[in-house]
Amino acid sequence: MSTILVLGASRGIGLEFVRQYLDAGERVIATARDAAGLARLRELGATALKLDVADPASISGLAWQLDGEQVDVALYVAGVYSTSGAGTPPTQEEFDRVLHTNVLGAMQAIPQVAPLVAASHRGGRFAFITSGMGQTSAVASSFGWTYRVSKAALNMAVAAAQHDYPDAILVALCPGWVRTDMGGAGAPLAVEDSVAAMRATIEGLTPAHKGAFLHHDGRRYDAY
């Protein structure tokens, strides 16, 4: 039995990771911000921890909540969306909302979680759910530019942090365009299929993937 940690698991992709890993017989620790989310996780059989990645005071206590744990697979799934384009600048409130959750939360989580992943005897992996919208080599429009900036920054944070945790494999992993509250009903990929593919990709990670930016099915993005 492996220990799986899912940061941001109250709904969508995070909740589906919890379901699938529990169905596979793994031990799952998962986080949510509110009582309803925590209750959903407990009903599934996960160990539920209260955590708000956008609140520096909350996430600074994550290591204390995980004291004594050894994590085989960690997932940073927490994320928020923004659709505005470059015709107008983002407000400070919008910028802070997106960047705090998508980037700062991950950067605060890494020093607390990566050592627990590196200590795994099973070859620990730490995957961060990013987006193809974060690649700078192929930008179709300014749509969602604050979101794009946040995911590009997340990809860089993962690639940079990898150097400090050589005994863990860190990757930025795009789930594809998924039918969730964020992705919308018109997305082509079911959440169950996206998560199943990402689980297979995570299982197949090798040291050659360290710091990589990957599609949900394991293909590498040609460039950041």
Side-chain angles (χ1 to χ4, degrees):
M1 180 186 296
S2 296
T3 296
I4 314 297
L5 173 65
V6 185
L7 302 174
S10 62
R11 60 194 178 102
I13 289 171
L15 189 61
E16 184 61 23
F17 267 120
V18 172
R19 287 195 186 100
Q20 291 196 20
Y21 275 118
L22 286 171
D23 286 347
E26 311 294 10
R27 174 176 175 255
V28 177
I29 305 168
T31 75
R33 291 179 298 171
D34 55 34
L38 293 167
R40 280 193 294 273
L41 296 172
R42 293 189 184 106
E43 288 169 6
L44 289 174
T47 298
L49 304 178
K50 186 174 183 180
L51 180 72
D52 182 353
V53 301
D55 179 358
S58 176
I59 197 167
S60 67
L62 180 59
W64 175 80
Q65 295 196 75
L66 295 172
D67 186 40
E69 293 288 352
Q70 182 183 104
V71 177
D72 301 300
V73 174
L75 295 145
Y76 187 91
V77 187
V80 294
Y81 196 40
S82 175
T83 60
S84 62
T88 57
T91 63
Q92 180 177 332
E93 291 77 14
E94 177 71 355
F95 184 85
D96 288 348
R97 181 184 73 89
V98 177
L99 273 292
H100 271 88
T101 299
N102 295 359
V103 187
L104 181 59
M107 294 177 78
Q108 288 193 282
I110 287 170
Q112 300 182 74
V113 175
L116 308 181
V117 175
S120 168
H121 300 304
R122 301 170 183 259
R125 297 97 189 266
F126 197 167
F128 298 77
I129 302 306
T130 184
S131 171
M133 290 176 70
Q135 61 178 324
T136 59
S137 59
V139 183
S141 74
S142 74
F143 177 81
W145 75 322
T146 303
Y147 179 75
R148 289 178 186 274
V149 166
S150 75
K151 291 304 186 180
L154 175 61
N155 295 346
M156 176 56 78
V158 172
Q162 177 66 78
H163 295 281
D164 286 347
Y165 303 98
D167 294 329
I169 300 172
L170 277 63
V171 296
L173 188 55
C174 173
W177 185 10
V178 185
R179 289 193 297 274
T180 61
D181 290 343
M182 183 184 294
L189 194 57
V191 66
E192 297 85 358
D193 295 334
S194 170
V195 169
M198 288 190 286
R199 286 180 55 230
T201 294
I202 292 165
E203 180 64 26
L205 292 175
T206 71
H209 292 103
K210 287 183 174 182
F213 177 20
L214 304 173
H215 291 270
H216 66 286
D217 57 9
R219 291 175 295 126
R220 288 179 182 263
Y221 278 89
D222 293 334
Y224 277 64

